[in-house]
Amino acid sequence: MFWFRARVYEKELNFLNVYQVNSSMKNIICLLTSVAVAGMVAVTKPAQAQQPKLQQVYADNTYQFTGVAVSAKNRLFVTYPRWSTTYKYAVVEVMPDGTAKPFPDAAMNEWKTGEDGQNKWVCVQTAYVDDDDYLYIVDPAAPFLNKVVGNGAKVVKFNLNTNKIEKVYRFGTTIDNSSYLNDIRVDTKKQMAYITNSGTGGIVILDLKTGKSRQVLQMHKSVHPDPNAKFVIDGHQLLKQGQPVVFNSDGIALTPDNNWLYYKTITDKKLYRIKTASLLNEKLTPNQLSGEVQNLGDVVSTDGMIFDKKGNLYLGDMVNYRMVVLDPQLKAHTWFKSKSLIWPDTYSISKDGYIYITTSQIHKQPDFNNHVNKRTEPYHVFKVKLPQ
């Protein structure tokens, strides 16, 4: 929803091979075949990178959206959180002609203040399509990023062959009313889902067969941003009511083999991962589970993130208006930059090899600009052909 930085200190560089050309030449060329920096990953520029083409597939010049999901048949779903009074629908399906249709129907999008919200969309954050082509809608049910409404927080699973609800997952005492369920990833083989809680910080583990859930790592530093980090975008620190904005665990990604879960906050730049086997081992104590978390060091500022089938992790660097790719060897490079990437938020990868990107323009919103709307462009869903 709502941040890699690579710090390479000269004394930490481990040069395995250094070749020098004739001293009469003006420049000395150093070939580094290995750079070992503990806990750090340098973001480099790819050689002769070709600028990919951003193709607009949907735009809205009025209402702010965040989430996007593409089905196996290229059906496109977009989610709108209820963060302001400028609001119409929670979930829409984008039709082939570019129009938007409330999903699954208008009635489910018509929640009103005072209703319990159990059977309607209250404040939807994101959408996700799993490997079996089921659609999941995450509704934290916390309008205006305030408290959860009743027992309204839910994940709703849809059968896209029928457009009918397959199952509704509720969270009871797993979360409190200050929580904000954010992003989700699904392991279809184990029938387990992993959800970030950006409200209070934590990872929610959901058994899709039984509906049981539990939350872990709530007290671990990986789900809370570094208090010394300062998030600066467009030359200014992001503030709300004069105070630095803090977003807890947010972006989440599952490796193609489902063995690792990557996750991070927004307002610092550290990237973490943990083995899913550890997350699913209920015999581990909180301290033991915390010991299984791996800190991959400072990375780019990012909101959402996603793996492709080759094991490349895509992250959107909203500070520098670019997309970054982290390969399976944990080497990162800039894929492309574009002024149109105004807070790249959420991602989905289609069967025909495109990554879909939403631009939620969060930092342009009045709440972060002394009640002045700084947005000058529509919110967009773009698609880009993945690198070969």
Side-chain angles (χ1 to χ4, degrees):
M1 163 193 149
F2 286 154
W3 294 36
F4 37 36
R5 173 179 57 197
R7 296 172 175 166
V8 180
Y9 298 98
E10 183 176 356
K11 65 180 181 180
E12 293 177 302
L13 293 176
N14 176 28
F15 297 97
L16 295 187
N17 294 288
V18 179
Y19 299 90
Q20 295 185 339
V21 298
N22 191 291
S23 58
S24 65
M25 296 181 67
K26 293 181 179 180
N27 298 310
I28 296 176
I29 302 173
C30 296
L31 174 63
L32 308 182
T33 59
S34 176
V35 181
V37 186
M40 301 290 184
V41 182
V43 180
T44 61
K45 293 182 179 180
Q48 298 179 344
Q50 184 176 0
Q51 180 77 6
K53 180 182 178 182
L54 278 174
Q55 302 177 48
Q56 177 183 301
V57 294
Y58 181 61
D60 193 321
N61 202 27
T62 304
Y63 305 105
Q64 184 185 21
F65 54 71
T66 50
V68 65
V70 184
S71 76
K73 296 179 180 179
N74 276 341
R75 294 176 65 184
L76 179 63
F77 302 91
V78 174
T79 59
Y80 293 75
R82 193 186 296 261
W83 289 344
S84 77
T85 55
T86 307
Y87 180 86
K88 187 176 183 181
Y89 295 129
V91 184
V92 301
E93 179 175 0
V94 179
M95 310 310 290
D97 63 358
T99 59
K101 178 182 177 182
F103 185 87
D105 52 36
M108 197 161 179
N109 284 266
E110 293 175 349
W111 177 82
K112 298 291 189 298
T113 302
E115 297 178 344
D116 62 22
Q118 292 199 49
N119 299 309
K120 291 184 179 181
W121 304 131
V122 180
C123 176
V124 169
Q125 176 59 37
T126 199
Y128 176 78
V129 173
D130 72 12
D131 290 340
D132 293 334
D133 210 34
Y134 285 92
L135 173 68
Y136 298 78
I137 303 294
V138 180
D139 182 3
F144 309 103
L145 297 173
N146 291 324
K147 302 295 184 183
V148 177
V149 174
N151 193 31
K154 55 190 171 291
V155 170
V156 183
K157 179 181 180 180
F158 285 90
N159 183 330
L160 289 179
N161 290 320
T162 63
N163 287 342
K164 301 297 183 183
I165 294 174
E166 191 87 0
K167 194 163 186 177
V168 179
Y169 300 95
R170 306 187 191 279
F171 297 89
T173 58
T174 299
I175 60 174
D176 61 24
N177 67 358
S178 295
S179 299
Y180 192 96
L181 299 178
N182 194 306
D183 210 350
I184 185 171
R185 292 295 182 266
V186 173
D187 179 343
T188 55
K189 294 179 181 178
K190 291 186 174 69
Q191 283 296 291
M192 302 297 295
Y194 307 93
I195 308 162
T196 45
N197 175 0
S198 62
T200 57
I203 304 294
V204 175
I205 303 169
L206 172 63
D207 188 320
L208 297 172
K209 291 180 290 188
T210 67
K212 293 181 179 179
S213 63
R214 58 191 177 93
Q215 188 170 193
V216 297
L217 299 174
Q218 300 98 309
M219 304 303 294
H220 194 264
K221 64 181 181 180
S222 63
V223 300
H224 304 285
D226 183 344
N228 297 314
K230 185 178 180 181
F231 181 71
V232 176
I233 185 168
D234 289 350
H236 304 283
Q237 185 175 13
L238 193 66
L239 303 173
K240 185 175 183 178
Q241 297 177 351
Q243 298 300 313
V245 176
V246 175
F247 300 120
N248 293 303
S249 41
D250 191 297
I252 192 171
L254 196 59
T255 53
D257 59 10
N258 298 318
N259 288 338
W260 290 92
L261 188 75
Y262 285 60
Y263 62 97
K264 70 186 309 298
T265 69
I266 290 179
T267 42
D268 75 23
K269 302 180 180 181
K270 293 179 174 61
L271 178 65
Y272 295 90
R273 70 177 182 178
I274 187 171
K275 289 183 177 180
T276 53
S278 300
L279 290 172
L280 299 178
N281 186 353
E282 297 189 45
K283 294 181 179 179
L284 294 180
T285 66
N287 283 339
Q288 289 173 327
L289 186 61
S290 294
E292 297 294 311
V293 175
Q294 294 186 10
N295 181 354
L296 299 181
D298 284 359
V299 235
V300 295
S301 299
T302 190
D303 195 323
M305 50 188 173
I306 191 170
F307 277 100
D308 66 15
K309 293 300 184 184
K310 297 178 181 179
N312 299 300
L313 180 63
Y314 296 83
L315 310 99
D317 177 3
M318 72 281 283
V319 172
N320 295 298
Y321 294 77
R322 63 176 178 163
M323 293 296 296
V324 168
V325 181
L326 177 67
D327 70 20
Q329 289 73 45
L330 301 181
K331 295 180 180 179
H333 68 265
T334 298
W335 179 20
F336 69 91
K337 301 181 72 172
S338 173
K339 292 181 180 179
S340 297
L341 293 175
I342 310 174
W343 199 294
D345 193 305
T346 305
Y347 312 98
S348 185
I349 293 178
S350 62
K351 296 295 184 183
D352 56 353
Y354 284 86
I355 184 171
Y356 286 67
I357 306 169
T358 61
T359 60
S360 61
Q361 305 190 45
I362 287 172
H363 62 302
K364 303 284 188 181
Q365 303 308 305
D367 281 352
F368 308 117
N369 295 285
N370 295 317
H371 308 293
V372 177
N373 188 347
K374 297 285 189 177
R375 183 174 65 87
T376 59
E377 292 189 24
Y379 305 102
H380 288 107
V381 178
F382 295 112
K383 72 175 184 178
V384 188
K385 190 70 174 178
L386 289 173
Q388 297 301 314

